[in-house]
Amino acid sequence: MGSAPDWHALVRYARMAYSTAKIEAPGVQVASPSFLAHHPEQLAAYLQAGGGAWCDAINVHSYGMDLARAIAVIDTFKRVMRDSATLPPGMPLVLTECGQQPVTGRPSCS
């Protein structure tokens, strides 16, 4: 198992990307780095390190989940966002990857 993520380093990279994007295209919306749905604690750590200042939306991926589970994940991430003192109220949460389950072919967020 590897070492714990350096959230402050990730925030520094996000600040550089956000600042550059806003200089080049002031109206562009910048999403946070992607967080896996199974790890809402990673979003909490990122926000605690100051990451919420350098995005216009929070980005989450929900691999291998059916729709009901994806909705539960969204609720969990929204709770983490509400509990953060560093995010402005109403910041959007974006689920950026959905597809189909390869075995069944049924639609899902994965």
Side-chain angles (χ1 to χ4, degrees):
M1 194 178 258
S3 61
D6 183 347
W7 299 112
H8 292 285
L10 185 56
V11 169
R12 285 191 302 273
Y13 294 130
R15 184 190 68 216
M16 288 186 285
Y18 183 88
S19 299
T20 301
K22 294 296 185 171
I23 288 168
E24 294 298 320
V28 70
Q29 296 294 294
V30 179
S32 72
S34 300
F35 294 94
L36 293 175
H38 302 292
H39 298 287
E41 73 282 359
Q42 291 182 345
L43 173 60
Y46 179 74
L47 295 176
Q48 187 174 20
W54 306 109
C55 63
D56 301 307
I58 300 296
N59 181 10
V60 64
H61 292 179
S62 62
Y63 296 109
M65 295 181 183
D66 62 21
L67 186 56
R69 177 70 180 118
I71 290 170
V73 163
I74 290 167
D75 289 342
T76 299
F77 272 75
K78 290 291 248 183
R79 185 171 48 255
V80 169
M81 292 168 66
R82 277 192 307 272
D83 291 347
S84 172
T86 64
L87 284 181
M91 180 173 282
L93 174 68
V94 292
L95 180 61
T96 56
E97 293 198 16
C98 288
Q100 290 187 329
Q101 295 175 344
V103 175
T104 65
R106 293 179 302 176
S108 72
C109 291
S110 58

